[in-house]
Amino acid sequence: MRARSDMRSVDEHRRVVADLITPRPALTVPLADALGLALAADVVAPLSLPGFDNSAMDGYAVLAGDIAAATDSAPVQLPVAEDIPAGRTDIPTLTPGTAHRIMTGAPLPFGADTVVPVESTDAGVHTVTIREAKPVGRHIRRAGEDVTEGTTVLHAGQVVTPAALGLAAALGLSELSVIPRQRVLVVSTGTELVTAGTPLQPGQIYESNGAMLAAAVRDAGGEVVASPMTGDDVEAFTATLRAHAGDADLIVTTGGVSAGAYEVVKDALGPGERVEFVKVAMQPGMPQGAGTWEGGTPIVTLPGNPVSALVSFEVFLRPALRAAMGLTDTQRPRRTAMLTEDLTSPRGKRQFRRGVFDPVTDTVTGYGPPASHHLRWLASANCLLELDEDTAEVAAGSRVQVWDLR
Ligand code: AMP
Ligand code: MG
């Protein structure tokens, strides 16, 4: 697949962006904040689970030998000597020839070797009538049968799921060491932009890239430091970056990188600075930039057209951010599907069209025009159709590559 020789290939720019974004050092966070993050260290069980022998049923702790003859027609009666609800901390000792009423999760009394479920008894409080014999060890959860103290129960690199979090909580842990979220500053540029709530003057539009990319950052697992907007003014743009970049691991800008005048991002970061502005052989999303800002903070400059901005985020930033957070599924799931229509694509550029993938018929239909300002179509698409650099025409019925955004 050959990109136009006067442009940087998509794969090359993806590498450049990925190399810029590096993991933060491991951080110990409260359990709840670890959800969805990769563990930075193995978790070794500080205790066993269960921590003590306990009952798996509501019933009666007894000696199996005392009820060996019990049947429906010839039940055995035992005095109930103790009542052991869950949470009782003084563990009694069972005297042979007696029963202890016991609840699920309550500690098994010393000396007892089986549990009779309440359903096989008359549920007596002072005396219990037992209608069924039980072998030794029945309905007892043994200490350590789930987890033995000292074993590695979660591994570095594993992503914390609700279940993993539950296990850590069961082990008495209140914190986990994780690879922290990337903190991203999203800066929108454009003198034409205003925020919701302000009436529009002719020529003005509501700012949308900031809200959209901030959401995309969070959706990718990242954290948004701030999402300010500035006009096409180098001083104001630079001041905005300085005001917010201190906490950021990455700066993402939109707009101001094309070939026109008033290209504020290019003007502020261009020649002499450590940002390289390039044309990437891709549609949409041709004008791109990447480098570092003051203090070495990585900066990736996306084009301003909303579709270009979001597709660029999908192609370059989402995988790089997820990789830097140690998350395993850095790529959207890829599949092929049968195209329902003829499509054209610019030769020498990789095209990403918005599409609707139908898993039932295994087909994909291009959705909306390829133009990069049609946000409405993007909002209802469920996939990106990827047409490679060598492709100029694709006929209906061909199988094409699809990025599943669902
Ligand atoms: P630019 O890349 O700055 O030339 O912008 C390209 C197009 O995207 C123009 O039509 C801009 O008005 C539009 N645009 C740029 N930034 C934003 C934004 N943050 N929200 C909505 N539209 C934008
Ligand atoms: Mg602009």
Side-chain angles (χ1 to χ4, degrees):
M1 281 174 272
R2 210 163 319 124
R4 282 175 48 168
S5 59
D6 57 335
M7 294 185 181
R8 179 183 279 179
S9 73
V10 170
D11 293 334
E12 174 62 16
H13 194 61
R14 215 201 305 253
R15 269 192 296 276
V16 169
V17 171
D19 287 347
L20 274 178
I21 303 173
T22 51
R24 292 170 61 189
L27 190 69
T28 298
V29 299
L31 222 51
D33 296 345
L35 183 66
L37 300 180
L39 288 172
D42 290 351
V43 174
V44 177
L47 44 83
S48 294
L49 293 177
F52 50 90
D53 291 356
N54 67 89
S55 178
M57 299 291 276
D58 295 331
Y60 296 83
V62 296
L63 273 167
D66 286 342
I67 58 161
T71 63
D72 235 354
S73 52
V76 169
Q77 270 202 345
L78 296 174
V80 178
E82 290 281 351
D83 198 28
I84 315 176
R88 184 165 165 181
T89 55
D90 63 314
I91 301 172
T93 299
L94 183 86
T95 308
T98 70
H100 288 181
R101 191 164 79 130
I102 192 165
M103 301 302 146
T104 305
L108 194 75
F110 297 115
D113 63 10
T114 196
V115 170
V116 183
V118 68
E119 292 82 358
S120 303
T121 73
D122 67 349
V125 176
H126 304 294
T127 310
V128 62
T129 303
I130 296 173
R131 296 189 307 267
E132 203 184 346
K134 289 288 172 194
V136 169
R138 188 55 58 93
H139 306 307
I140 295 171
R141 304 160 169 173
R142 292 293 176 194
E145 71 176 27
D146 185 5
V147 172
T148 313
E149 180 184 334
T151 43
T152 299
V153 286
L154 298 170
H155 294 269
Q158 196 175 338
V159 175
V160 178
T161 57
L165 209 146
L167 174 59
L171 291 169
L173 304 175
S174 59
E175 299 176 324
L176 287 170
S177 174
V178 295
I179 303 176
R181 294 182 195 283
Q182 290 280 313
R183 295 163 300 188
V184 184
L185 169 63
V186 179
V187 180
S188 305
T189 67
T191 302
E192 71 279 25
L193 307 175
V194 297
T195 43
T198 310
L200 293 176
Q201 305 288 329
Q204 294 184 328
I205 61 170
Y206 287 120
E207 197 291 306
S208 60
N209 286 346
M212 180 174 67
L213 290 178
V217 166
R218 288 194 197 96
D219 188 55
E223 188 179 309
V224 179
V225 173
S227 50
M229 62 180 206
T230 84
D232 293 317
D233 172 84
V234 169
E235 296 300 309
F237 173 74
T238 308
T240 303
L241 257 54
R242 289 209 176 112
H244 297 284
D247 296 330
D249 306 304
L250 169 69
I251 303 166
V252 177
T253 66
T254 65
V257 293
S258 351
Y262 312 106
E263 302 292 4
V264 64
V265 176
K266 253 187 181 170
D267 292 346
L269 306 173
E273 303 295 328
R274 289 166 299 175
V275 180
E276 196 182 358
F277 292 97
V278 292
K279 288 182 175 171
V280 174
M282 152 171 167
Q283 186 196 61
M286 184 182 67
Q288 300 284 344
T292 54
W293 195 62
E294 293 177 356
T297 310
I299 182 164
V300 174
T301 68
L302 305 180
N305 269 309
V307 175
S308 311
L310 193 59
V311 168
S312 304
F313 183 91
E314 278 293 332
V315 174
F316 303 117
L317 281 169
R318 192 177 199 276
L321 280 171
R322 290 184 68 79
M325 290 186 284
L327 302 175
T328 40
D329 45 345
T330 56
Q331 308 283 342
R332 295 285 191 180
R334 312 279 169 99
R335 54 176 84 241
T336 64
M338 197 182 71
L339 192 61
T340 61
E341 62 197 331
D342 296 342
L343 288 181
T344 58
S345 178
R347 196 184 285 282
K349 286 188 181 180
R350 195 175 308 183
Q351 190 184 42
F352 292 93
R353 283 175 176 259
R354 281 61 66 203
V356 175
F357 166 67
D358 180 350
V360 176
T361 54
D362 191 31
T363 58
V364 63
T365 304
Y367 200 35
S372 49
H373 60 286
H374 289 251
L375 201 49
R376 170 182 156 201
W377 303 102
L378 184 58
S380 297
N382 68 3
C383 70
L384 290 177
L385 246 127
E386 182 181 18
L387 303 177
D388 70 36
E389 292 82 348
D390 292 336
T391 302
E393 288 167 3
V394 213
S398 313
R399 292 199 74 80
V400 290
Q401 172 94 344
V402 157
W403 293 21
D404 196 343
L405 304 179
R406 292 172 302 161

